[in-house]
Amino acid sequence: MCGIVGAVAQRNIVPVLVEGLRRLEYRGYDSCGVAVHADGELKRARSVARVAELEAQVRDLTAFTGIAHTRWATHGAPTTDNAHPHFSGRNGAPRIALVHNGIIENHDALRTRLRAQGYRFESQTDTEVIAHLIDSLYEGDLFEAVQKAVRELHGAYAIAVFAREEPHRVVGARAGSPLVVGIGQGENFLASDALALAGTTDQIMYLEEGDVVDLQLGRVWVVDGQGRPVSREVKTVHAGLGSVELGPYRHFMQKEIFEQPRAIADTLDPVAGIDPFIFGEAAEAVLPRIDGVLILACGTSYYAGCVARYWIEAIARVPVTVEIASEYRYRASVPNPNALVVVVSQSGETADTLAALKHAKNQGMHATLAVCNVATSAMVRETAMQFITRAGAEIGVASTKAFTTQLVALYLLAKSIAKAKGLLTPEREHAAVKALRHLPAAVQSVLALEPSIIAWSETFARKENALFLGRGMHYPIAMEGALKLKEISYIHAEAYPAGELKHGPLALVTEAMPVVTVAPNDALLEKLKSNMQEVRARGGQLYVFADADTRIESSEGVHVIRLPEHYGDLSPLLHVVPLQLLAYHTAVARGTDVDKPRNLAKSVTVE
């Protein structure tokens, strides 16, 4: 989602702000801007192009205090007037500059009140309302004005603001949207993501819900939502400068697909064996007594949860419900206080999943577990148990290595629940650990199929629709393959359980409709072959990712790429990789912006 960078220093901070925005480009954005305190006044530059164009605008600007922003449009189209930062000031020159992530739900009521006070609005954004509100409350102390203003805001926000009259001060606040403080020597920083400050400082303070922070040259002062002074821990965070360098790859998505063997190995590195303890100290007491699992997630993480349902029910014999987080919180569900609530997120800041977690806890479900790629995220801090995947920073909007490491974590969870309930024999535990250890090498062998997949992509690039089929625990993998294709190539794609073909989707099948089929050598293979025959009988073109021993041969209308080996329960991790590559190379062939697909953002921190 949107990105924030702010700084107070005794050096020129314009390059710091621009570099911070560049590091946040992976989140997706459609406009960007910088505002600084220079020569006793507020100056800004805004652009609806890329950060590189903004950098050209501010190249000759020097300032010691400033804020910057990348915006993904919510209120108002992506125009220069709607781009952040926003200014406010009724009498002549502006005196307040502000950037904002999130959505203010009561902006209409506040706008009406502020107009009556004489404020003129130059944008359609809810953000400009906050700037004018702070200005209306400002009486010489910005920290005090911001504290008063946020008490009137309903919704989600992270803000950074400075005032003309206070040249070495930036104030930030957060509620429902992440914001971190970077601590330096005689200088301090704000950002929506620690990655924005990589190379500037590794001393990071994570603000809590409702915090307001006052940044000056030599001090950082934090108060909580009730205005009480609080101390927040400063952590050394190595944000990983290498993760934002492409190296020999054409796009970050391609790089991250090929990083999956390492990401899986790193995720497994601290895991000595199957043990509830790997999910936190509380897990040893919690896992034996649960009688259900509720998985809450969005997007790709939701599909990881769908695979986990098959694993947990088959291996641990515990019933599982998988819910789309944005739906779960708004329906009348029946709580089960004995269920384990598992939230799955790459960033740990996904607004809908955080809200669903809060909803579950409010209903008395307190056995909570986060599967997350960011150890310092809000989701990790708000759950009783945690498993941190070690995928590293994922820059491409379309998730790849975060997904496969989530699957590793959820497979470990299935085995750990089984062990806690006495259902995992030593022989099965040994076999599972052995299979997991071999997994990076198995994924590497699948990556070697890239040349054959490139050949397929040239055909897919000329299509506008595609159908994906899978059965059992590979049906969610088919859904993930369809999602990848649609979000980066803009080809309409959807997935079905192969057995559902005859119940409607078969009407779509013609020679012009490619049908991608996930075909592992499992108990449902013969059923799947029958479904494939239904497609061929209607002239459909099959593109089959098959295990080596499935005896599915290439023929007219049947195109087959063979995976090197069948991998049993862990087969979904292997079969998703060629689907990622197919989507990636199809998008490249169509000339789309692979790492920053239109209308999408990496970390969705608004509802």
Side-chain angles (χ1 to χ4, degrees), residues 167-208:
H168 293 292
R169 190 181 210 183
V170 172
V171 175
R174 67 148 297 189
S177 197
L179 195 65
V180 305
V181 176
I183 309 296
Q185 296 294 321
E187 58 184 20
N188 292 300
F189 308 90
L190 273 178
S192 51
D193 188 327
L195 183 62
L197 304 178
T200 299
T201 180
D202 61 1
Q203 298 300 296
I204 302 297
M205 175 192 295
Y206 290 85
L207 298 178
E208 299 290 337

Side-chain angles (χ1 to χ4, degrees), residues 156-178:
Y157 59 82
I159 62 173
V161 55
F162 69 92
R164 186 183 64 219
E165 281 78 5
E166 300 177 78
H168 293 292
R169 190 181 210 183
V170 172
V171 175
R174 67 148 297 189
S177 197

Side-chain angles (χ1 to χ4, degrees), residues 267-599:
T267 297
L268 288 169
D269 184 59
V271 179
I274 306 297
D275 194 314
F277 188 76
I278 64 178
F279 295 94
E281 294 182 8
E284 286 191 287
V286 171
L287 296 189
R289 58 181 173 81
I290 63 168
D291 60 12
V293 176
L294 170 63
I295 300 176
L296 303 171
C298 300
T300 287
S301 297
Y302 169 75
Y303 298 144
C306 290
V307 175
R309 178 185 180 185
Y310 287 92
W311 283 336
I312 295 170
E313 292 193 343
I315 296 168
R317 310 304 299 164
V318 174
V320 179
T321 301
V322 188
E323 296 265 8
I324 294 173
S326 58
E327 292 294 317
Y328 167 74
R329 59 187 286 214
Y330 290 118
R331 71 177 185 83
S333 58
V334 180
N336 175 7
N338 297 317
L340 174 67
V341 178
V342 182
V343 285
V344 187
S345 169
Q346 186 276 141
S347 67
E349 305 289 350
T350 308
D352 285 317
T353 310
L354 282 168
L357 171 63
K358 182 178 179 180
H359 178 66
K361 290 165 72 173
N362 287 342
Q363 293 194 87
M365 302 171 72
H366 297 295
T368 56
L369 166 67
V371 173
C372 182
N373 194 39
V374 182
T376 52
S377 65
M379 201 167 291
V380 169
R381 296 195 300 271
E382 293 177 17
T383 50
M385 295 165 283
Q386 304 82 27
F387 185 98
I388 308 303
T389 58
R390 296 187 174 188
E394 193 178 58
I395 307 301
V397 166
S399 181
T400 52
K401 61 179 180 174
F403 176 71
T404 47
T405 54
Q406 286 170 356
L407 289 178
V408 168
L410 292 166
Y411 181 76
L412 285 167
L413 178 62
K415 289 291 185 180
S416 295
I417 296 172
K419 186 171 184 178
K421 291 183 173 293
L423 300 176
L424 186 66
T425 65
E427 294 77 17
R428 288 181 177 175
E429 179 178 354
H430 176 74
V433 172
K434 183 179 178 181
L436 286 166
R437 294 298 179 202
H438 180 59
L439 193 54
V443 172
Q444 191 67 54
S445 66
V446 176
L447 290 168
L449 300 172
E450 186 179 35
S452 299
I453 296 169
I454 291 173
W456 281 12
S457 71
E458 294 169 358
T459 299
F460 275 73
R462 299 190 296 269
K463 305 296 183 180
E464 294 301 327
N465 300 280
L467 194 62
F468 285 68
L469 301 178
R471 298 205 71 152
M473 62 184 174
H474 292 83
Y475 166 49
I477 297 303
M479 290 195 287
E480 172 63 8
L483 175 63
K484 283 292 158 288
L485 187 67
K486 75 178 74 168
E487 66 182 333
I488 63 169
S489 74
Y490 315 145
I491 294 171
H492 171 251
E494 55 184 317
Y496 279 90
E500 278 292 292
L501 263 178
K502 63 181 72 69
H503 297 290
L506 201 57
L508 296 172
V509 173
T510 68
E511 188 175 351
M513 170 78 82
V515 180
V516 180
T517 307
V518 182
N521 189 12
D522 60 13
L524 292 170
L525 177 62
E526 294 307 316
K527 297 288 186 183
L528 181 65
K529 287 181 178 179
S530 297
N531 303 140
M532 291 166 57
Q533 289 301 318
E534 293 172 345
V535 172
R536 283 302 301 132
R538 276 77 181 177
Q541 295 288 311
L542 285 163
Y543 293 82
V544 186
F545 290 106
D547 287 347
D549 49 2
T550 54
R551 299 180 185 175
I552 299 174
E553 304 296 335
S554 295
S555 60
E556 184 179 356
V558 182
H559 314 272
V560 181
I561 290 178
R562 298 190 184 283
L563 275 65
E565 58 185 311
H566 176 57
Y567 219 63
D569 285 343
L570 290 169
S571 174
L573 281 113
L574 270 63
H575 273 274
V576 76
V577 174
L579 299 182
Q580 295 169 347
L581 287 169
L582 178 62
Y584 169 73
H585 285 292
T586 301
V588 169
R590 287 171 70 95
T592 65
D593 193 345
V594 174
D595 288 331
K596 305 181 187 73
R598 67 191 182 200
N599 306 331

Side-chain angles (χ1 to χ4, degrees), residues 73-94:
T74 52
H75 292 74
T79 65
T80 303
D81 284 344
N82 288 330
H84 301 209
H86 289 284
F87 283 173
S88 181
R90 282 179 294 184
N91 302 313

